[in-house]
Amino acid sequence: ATETFAADVTWNVSLWGKRRAFTEHIEKLAEEVSARTDGKFEIKLHYGGALSKSRENLDGISFGAFEMAQFCASYHADKNPSLTVLELPFLGVSDLETEVKVSKALYDHPAVQADLARWNAKLLMPSPMPQYNFAGKGDVPQSISDFDGMRVRALGGLGKLMEAVGAVPTSVTASETYQSIDSGTVQAAGFAPHAHLSFKVVEVADWWTKNLNPGTVHCPVVVNVDAYNELPDDMKAALDASVDPAIAHYLDTYAKVYDKWWPELESRGVTQVEFSDEELAAFAEKAGPIHAAWIEEQSANGLPAQELLDMVKKTIAE
Amino acid sequence: MTPFEVGIMMTGVLLVLVVIGVRVAFAAAFTGLVGLIVLFSMKMGFERGFFVALKMAGTIPHSKSVTYALSVLPTFILIGFLAFYAGFTKQLFEAAKRWLGWLPGGMAVGTVFSTAGFAAVSGASVATAAVFARVAIPEMLAAGYSKRLSSAVVAAGGTLASLIPPSAILVIYAILVEQSVGKLLIAGFLPGVFSALVYVGIIVAVASWRGDAPAVKGFTWKERFESVPGTLPIIAVVAIIFCSFFFGLATPTEAGSLGAFVVLVVAFAKGMRTRQLGQALHETAKLTVMIFTLIWGVLVYVRFLGFAGLPEAFKDFIVALEFSPWIVMICILLAYAVLGMFMDAIGMLILTLPVVYPAVMALNGGEGVSAADSAFGMSGEACAIWFGILVVKMAELCLITPPIGLNCFVVSGVRPDIPVQEVFRGCVPFFVADVLTIGGLLAFPSIITILPQLMG
Amino acid sequence: MMTIDPGGRSASERPVTFIRFDGWLGQVENAFNLFAAFSILALMLLAVAQVVGRLLFNMPVPGFIDITEQAMAIFAFAGVAYCQRVGGHIRMEIVLGKLSGRTLYVCEMLGVILIAFTVALLIWGSWFHFDRSWGIGDSTMDIRLPTWPSKLIIPAALGLLFLRLLMQIYGYGRLVANPGRDPVAVPMIENVEDHARHEIEDALGADAVAGSDDGNGAGTGEGDAK
Ligand code: NA
Ligand code: NA
């Protein structure tokens, strides 16, 4: 404990897992904030769920046990219904930059802010995730009908989409995915590339759906509203100004995941499936009713659901 | 006071509470809760800090108990409670006697093998010892074996249950250190067999020298083969559980449930009554809630440690030590052996691992270290598995050592004619065997790590 | 329940109301533990259905992990008061085992008061946890089961435990006042031989040990489980 250099303000950040590409923007944020305040504002990262289980991060934020946290909207759709709009299938997000753009637009919406305010939380920045393409073992799927009867690990909205094309969503924990595919408990699993790598799915996979791009999960970084409001103006400014460099750093780091990903697919001889435009259109068609069902459910919950989805689609198209 | 100092102070409070006999789960929850109140009060004043601490602690019981990986525990426990009614013991012992009786100390050798076999349906060492004390000791005494040997071999054989899957304690270890439950369970298999073989070697040597365990000869090949079908149900259960884990055909919870279901069916076929099923379920529920309470209670304390930054500080301290990592490792294992003399194995593990495990991993060079760069010559994951088996073996060792070697008391309790001192004396050769086994596992870690590595 | 006083004392000398209340509470605790026991059986059958459904019919139980997780709160908590009554929560007894008479009872009572304090605060805290999921909303990852029913089990089960702890505080309190009294409704410390006897009963059924009493009754301790 180096008391002499103690910061004036220390924030704790609740994170799960180890340090990885997914957390690099928070590392960068802490660095930037410290530099901009001469070390007076310290942001301390706690990995491994030391401060909270990932699914309870919003709870911890709500009563101020820690000032900042990361979570994924799909971990608890009903805690953050407004964020799940970005997890709907086939929104047409093609890269992480678009994901950042649409996230920021969504965070500015009053309905979304009100949704998170119930947890005393303010959305600070996204952790943009690539599309959850499927990697699997066995016959390479060429068309939508090849997914009929296939047991897949796909949660939430992605699971609904796969169900719509006849696949059978099957409960498997992330860490059990490798063994489950190897033994045929499931035939495929949907993850972002870094997760396919870290859960070793790529080691047992025969194929990967390169351009299916069915959707992704949305994982924001939030701060406790009171803690944010109590910050002196200079520190608040330093925090706000650090967000863009942090995200830029994240995008750079995540790009390096692909430096490993493509050679890994090549060297393991994993077939990269590219679906034709007609096939992709057929998939996207299945997403229509899921979007409609989402609008109906969330409108009933009092969200301006149609407006949010339209805004998201418009931002993506811009 | 710094958070770190609060962490040290509250850890001292916890030690005192545990030693003076407050139930461990609640002593830990109390310490954690008070520690959180102190920490948050320091940060934001008592009026706010008290409620933040209260709400933080209040999330933990649900959050930490409702974890899919833990759902395997009651299924394993249930298998153990039903195994007795399924009547596996007699058939196993009979087969082992007919096939191995001709060796010097042959019936004791048979007892080791049949306890090892029974270990594959029982996760509880003490229960295994109790069951075999009834089945095996009378036959050994009738064949002219000394009370000392026949009681000790049952007490020692019972300890195999925690290594050979299914094992509740290995599940708890795997979850606490966030490693694959399936791999930990498979990892226990070879060390369990290895321990059994070392026991057999010691028995044959001691029996030849002392002559207190005559060979039992005269079984024909026909009689030997006739004893095999009786062991088929247990072989089926072993196959289900082992294959499920090893080939990933089912998750641990599914495998445990399938195993429990098979044992349940066999037990009913062997005449178990509904009342007895109820009793087994009642006992399973009691043991399950005890373990879960211990887990979440201690995790309230661990959450407080997380805010106080204590595990990191201990890790830094261990890594900074001047001694060789091997010396540090052996000291840690010896500390477990001493602690195990006074504390129950599961409690000891849950209480110490959150602080000790990160230090051991750092000692080896970190979680992501490669075998080449590591201190113990194994990857981070292999080290986690290796350490887990070693710690469980240390805890098992304490079941046959004074002062509270529970297996010895249980055997003596089932056989009122055998004083417990006699059992403890008989266990001396098995204690030597266990020390040899632990030495073997330290020198040849691949006995532990090879099967999990094959799983990928 | 013990109704005939072994010391032959009249009803006025025995804590009749206390014994009666202990009996009622015991019934509730037994029912909760039975609930836990059945949830374990149900989980086992559900998992068998999951494997058979998946392997034979390509029909896994939808949201199996979600269902299992939420149901786990039942067997993780429902029996917690029962376990405390029979002394099933583990502890170290090397120091307590050396004590006797009033000193022992004072230590036991202080220990239980400390537990009751902790449990009371945890009831409060876990109620907040339930209240957030009820008031704001929360659901599981896969099939979006609401989590509040599962979260409500914790304050409920701990509430029952708190009542049991109050009983034990009173139970030790009357022994502190007069160590000569018969212990009622408190688990008594047991030496390692008694502990071993209870382990044997657990493994082999209660009839395995000749002359053993009913290990589940109030007023008889089971020491720590393995
Ligand atoms: Na076992
Ligand atoms: Na005896």
Side-chain angles (χ1 to χ4, degrees):
Chain A
T2 46
E3 285 308 292
T4 34
F5 302 112
D8 294 349
V9 176
T10 303
W11 275 18
N12 290 315
V13 192
S14 173
L15 303 165
W16 73 96
K18 301 177 183 120
R19 181 175 174 172
R20 56 203 189 281
F22 185 63
T23 57
E24 277 306 309
H25 54 331
I26 308 170
E27 291 279 353
K28 180 69 175 173
L29 186 82
E31 223 174 83
E32 287 278 329
V33 163
S34 174
R36 281 161 205 263
T37 60
D38 298 323
K40 289 205 183 74
F41 183 5
E42 185 194 17
I43 295 182
K44 257 171 111 171
L45 282 68
H46 299 262
Y47 287 98
L51 305 191
S52 172
K53 194 165 156 177
S54 57
R55 281 187 253 172
E56 263 86 42
N57 269 342
L58 267 180
D59 295 83
I61 285 287
S62 75
F63 50 79
F66 33 82
E67 290 79 9
M68 193 186 287
Q70 187 181 30
F71 63 89
C72 292
S74 53
Y75 286 2
H76 33 54
D78 289 310
K79 276 183 178 172
N80 40 240
S82 66
L83 294 176
T84 56
V85 64
L86 287 181
E87 301 191 333
L88 288 172
F90 282 105
L91 290 174
V93 177
S94 52
D95 53 31
L96 296 187
E97 282 78 7
T98 314
E99 186 79 32
V100 173
K101 187 176 68 176
V102 69
S103 303
K104 283 187 167 175
L106 187 71
Y107 294 177
D108 284 338
H109 198 287
V112 178
Q113 290 173 353
D115 187 19
L116 271 294
R118 299 179 306 153
W119 295 99
N120 206 13
K122 172 188 151 54
L123 292 150
L124 185 70
M125 60 181 178
S127 322
M129 293 281 275
Q131 294 288 305
Y132 265 38
N133 279 297
F134 284 89
K137 190 178 172 178
D139 295 337
V140 181
Q142 304 290 357
S143 71
I144 188 168
S145 58
D146 291 339
F147 286 97
D148 194 38
M150 186 188 285
R151 285 189 303 278
V152 295
R153 182 203 190 261
L155 300 176
L158 197 55
K160 282 216 176 81
L161 176 78
M162 295 315 287
E163 211 172 354
V165 300
V168 184
T170 304
S171 285
V172 169
T173 61
S175 55
E176 285 167 350
T177 310
Y178 168 88
Q179 281 237 313
S180 303
I181 293 183
D182 194 34
S183 61
T185 300
V186 295
Q187 283 127 311
F191 282 119
H194 74 272
H196 278 308
L197 286 171
S198 65
F199 295 124
K200 301 197 293 181
V201 177
V202 68
E203 292 179 24
V204 280
D206 296 320
W207 50 266
W208 183 60
T209 62
K210 187 178 182 189
N211 70 342
L212 184 59
N213 297 341
T216 186
V217 296
H218 185 74
C219 307
V221 175
V222 295
V223 297
N224 174 281
V225 171
D226 299 329
Y228 182 79
N229 289 338
E230 283 164 20
L231 281 180
D233 287 343
D234 60 323
M235 291 190 185
K236 201 183 283 182
L239 179 66
D240 291 340
S242 301
V243 167
D244 283 337
I247 290 179
H249 176 76
Y250 179 99
L251 296 178
D252 286 347
T253 319
Y254 207 95
K256 292 186 189 123
V257 170
Y258 286 96
D259 295 347
K260 267 178 84 181
W261 176 243
W262 301 118
E264 189 80 17
L265 290 181
E266 296 281 327
S267 70
R268 295 190 178 276
V270 177
T271 308
Q272 301 188 29
V273 190
E274 293 202 58
F275 294 95
S276 68
D277 289 346
E278 296 83 65
E279 288 296 334
L280 289 179
F283 260 109
E285 213 173 285
K286 300 285 184 188
I290 297 173
H291 290 196
W294 183 85
I295 289 171
E296 192 181 335
E297 186 196 353
Q298 300 307 346
S299 300
N301 284 347
L303 276 182
Q306 184 73 53
E307 186 190 326
L308 284 176
L309 183 58
D310 289 346
M311 189 272 285
V312 162
K313 283 181 172 166
K314 184 165 149 279
T315 312
I316 292 168
E318 271 167 11
Chain B
M1 226 173 8
T2 64
F4 175 76
E5 284 159 4
V6 177
I8 294 284
M9 193 186 75
M10 291 313 294
T11 302
V13 171
L14 174 58
L15 281 180
V16 171
L17 291 180
V18 168
V19 168
I20 64 169
V22 180
R23 301 193 183 268
V24 177
F26 299 111
F30 170 81
T31 317
L33 187 55
V34 172
L36 284 170
I37 291 173
V38 173
L39 279 190
F40 284 117
S41 298
M42 278 162 50
K43 183 164 179 170
M44 50 190 86
F46 180 75
E47 304 81 51
R48 255 183 85 191
F50 174 78
F51 279 97
V52 173
L54 192 68
K55 290 176 179 179
M56 173 89 290
T59 63
I60 295 168
H62 185 267
S63 163
K64 290 294 181 177
S65 305
V66 176
T67 301
Y68 177 67
L70 283 171
S71 64
V72 63
L73 283 173
T75 70
F76 280 6
I77 295 169
L78 183 59
I79 293 180
F81 279 119
L82 290 174
F84 173 71
Y85 296 109
F88 292 141
T89 15
K90 279 212 175 89
Q91 273 111 346
L92 266 178
F93 183 70
E94 191 59 34
K97 183 176 79 182
R98 292 184 190 186
W99 285 85
L100 300 163
W102 55 274
L103 284 163
M107 295 210 11
V109 172
T111 303
V112 170
F113 278 106
S114 43
T115 48
F118 191 72
V121 287
S122 170
S125 300
V126 180
T128 307
V131 168
F132 274 89
R134 278 230 304 212
V135 175
I137 293 179
E139 293 217 33
M140 281 190 274
L141 293 182
Y145 280 47
S146 66
K147 282 181 181 174
R148 185 182 291 187
L149 175 64
S150 33
S151 59
V153 72
V154 168
T159 67
L160 298 173
S162 294
L163 283 177
I164 295 177
S167 155
I169 194 164
L170 280 174
V171 171
I172 292 169
Y173 176 86
I175 289 162
L176 284 179
V177 307
E178 296 182 330
Q179 294 290 333
S180 151
V181 171
K183 281 189 184 176
L184 247 308
L185 288 169
I186 286 296
F189 185 78
L190 283 185
V193 173
F194 181 69
S195 296
L197 291 178
V198 177
Y199 283 164
V200 167
I202 291 272
I203 292 169
V204 171
V206 170
S208 308
W209 169 57
R210 277 207 308 237
D212 64 345
V216 183
K217 294 181 179 156
F219 288 109
T220 64
W221 284 103
K222 183 163 175 286
E223 284 169 325
R224 285 179 181 167
F225 280 107
E226 277 170 0
S227 70
V228 172
T231 64
L232 286 182
I234 204 163
I235 291 172
V237 175
V238 175
I240 287 174
I241 291 179
F242 190 90
C243 293
S244 301
F245 294 148
F246 195 74
F247 300 109
L249 294 176
T251 67
T253 302
E254 292 165 2
S257 298
L258 277 181
F261 187 71
V262 171
V263 178
L264 180 68
V265 170
V266 175
F268 270 125
K270 295 268 162 138
M272 183 183 69
R273 281 158 294 165
T274 320
R275 202 184 69 84
Q276 290 164 323
L277 171 65
Q279 202 184 353
L281 280 171
H282 218 54
E283 290 299 327
T284 304
K286 186 181 107 190
L287 192 53
T288 302
V289 80
M290 184 279 275
I291 293 175
F292 272 89
T293 308
L294 198 53
I295 290 174
W296 66 252
V298 172
L299 288 179
V300 173
Y301 164 69
V302 170
R303 177 65 52 83
F304 154 67
L305 289 186
F307 276 95
L310 208 67
E312 275 183 23
F314 184 72
K315 186 176 80 184
D316 295 343
F317 165 76
I318 289 282
V319 172
L321 287 177
E322 298 282 319
F323 309 107
S324 123
W326 285 98
I327 303 276
V328 178
M329 173 61 100
I330 287 168
C331 288
I332 290 175
L333 291 179
L334 284 177
Y336 272 110
V338 173
L339 198 56
M341 286 180 187
F342 304 99
M343 230 181 139
D344 134 287
I346 289 178
M348 171 175 96
L349 231 59
I350 298 180
L351 203 52
T352 57
L353 279 177
V355 175
V356 173
Y357 172 78
V360 168
M361 293 305 279
L363 200 60
N364 187 44
E367 302 234 356
V369 74
S370 70
D373 299 333
S374 65
F376 299 118
M378 59 188 93
S379 69
E381 190 194 37
C383 179
I385 294 173
W386 178 63
F387 182 63
I389 302 295
L390 283 172
V391 168
V392 169
K393 186 70 195 167
M394 297 312 289
E396 293 304 295
L397 181 61
C398 299
L399 288 174
I400 57 168
T401 58
I404 57 162
L406 197 53
N407 273 17
C408 297
F409 281 97
V410 162
V411 169
S412 165
V414 176
R415 300 288 312 186
D417 54 321
I418 307 177
V420 69
Q421 294 79 4
E422 190 78 0
V423 190
F424 275 124
R425 257 179 244 125
C427 278
V428 171
F430 295 99
F431 177 81
V432 173
D434 278 341
V435 172
L436 289 177
T437 302
I438 290 162
L441 297 177
L442 281 169
F444 306 105
S446 53
I447 299 172
I448 294 171
T449 56
I450 187 142
L451 283 184
Q453 262 162 19
L454 287 175
M455 289 167 71
Chain C
M1 198 70 254
M2 187 172 64
T3 49
I4 299 163
D5 185 69
R9 287 166 295 182
S10 69
S12 60
E13 289 170 294
R14 295 174 51 240
V16 179
T17 317
F18 179 55
I19 290 175
R20 191 170 296 148
F21 192 72
D22 176 52
W24 290 335
L25 195 60
Q27 298 290 326
V28 180
E29 287 162 347
N30 289 350
F32 268 58
N33 198 54
L34 198 66
F35 184 37
F38 273 106
S39 73
I40 292 170
L41 193 65
L43 165 77
M44 182 193 87
L45 295 175
L46 184 73
V48 172
Q50 159 82 347
V51 179
V52 172
R54 189 179 65 220
L55 294 182
L56 301 185
F57 308 106
N58 204 27
M59 271 171 47
V61 177
F64 172 71
I65 294 179
D66 284 6
I67 297 169
T68 304
E69 285 199 336
Q70 293 307 302
M72 284 174 76
I74 302 171
F75 58 70
F77 286 92
V80 70
Y82 169 85
C83 192
Q84 175 68 20
R85 182 182 85 210
V86 300
H89 294 294
I90 60 158
R91 62 174 174 179
M92 247 167 127
E93 295 186 335
I94 40 169
V95 174
L96 280 183
K98 301 262 182 294
L99 307 178
S100 62
R102 183 169 278 138
T103 330
L104 173 67
Y105 295 133
V106 167
C107 286
E108 290 273 25
M109 189 174 74
L110 290 178
V112 178
I113 288 173
L114 182 137
I115 298 178
F117 169 79
T118 312
V119 168
L121 290 186
L122 284 172
I123 293 170
W124 199 356
S126 61
W127 174 266
F128 280 124
H129 195 47
F130 153 75
D131 190 49
R132 281 191 300 274
S133 63
W134 168 259
I136 309 181
D138 186 22
S139 55
T140 60
M141 209 185 291
D142 191 3
I143 56 168
R144 290 180 58 189
L145 291 173
T147 62
W148 64 262
S150 172
K151 285 179 179 168
L152 184 57
I153 292 173
I154 284 82
L158 291 182
L160 187 61
L161 172 62
F162 186 70
L163 291 182
R164 170 52 58 191
L165 292 166
L166 292 183
M167 293 292 290
Q168 292 186 344
I169 292 171
Y170 182 83
Y172 285 122
R174 55 184 284 281
L175 293 174
V176 170
N178 179 1
R181 284 170 171 162
D182 282 331
V184 176
V186 289
M188 295 305 290
I189 194 162
E190 62 181 11
N191 56 29
V192 65
E193 285 86 0
D194 292 337
H195 181 185
R197 188 166 54 81
H198 283 119
E199 292 285 350
I200 295 162
E201 287 171 10
D202 284 357
L204 307 178
D207 52 344
V209 183
S212 76
D213 57 6
D214 172 16
N216 295 339
T220 67
E222 291 210 348
D224 41 6
K226 59 207 142 287

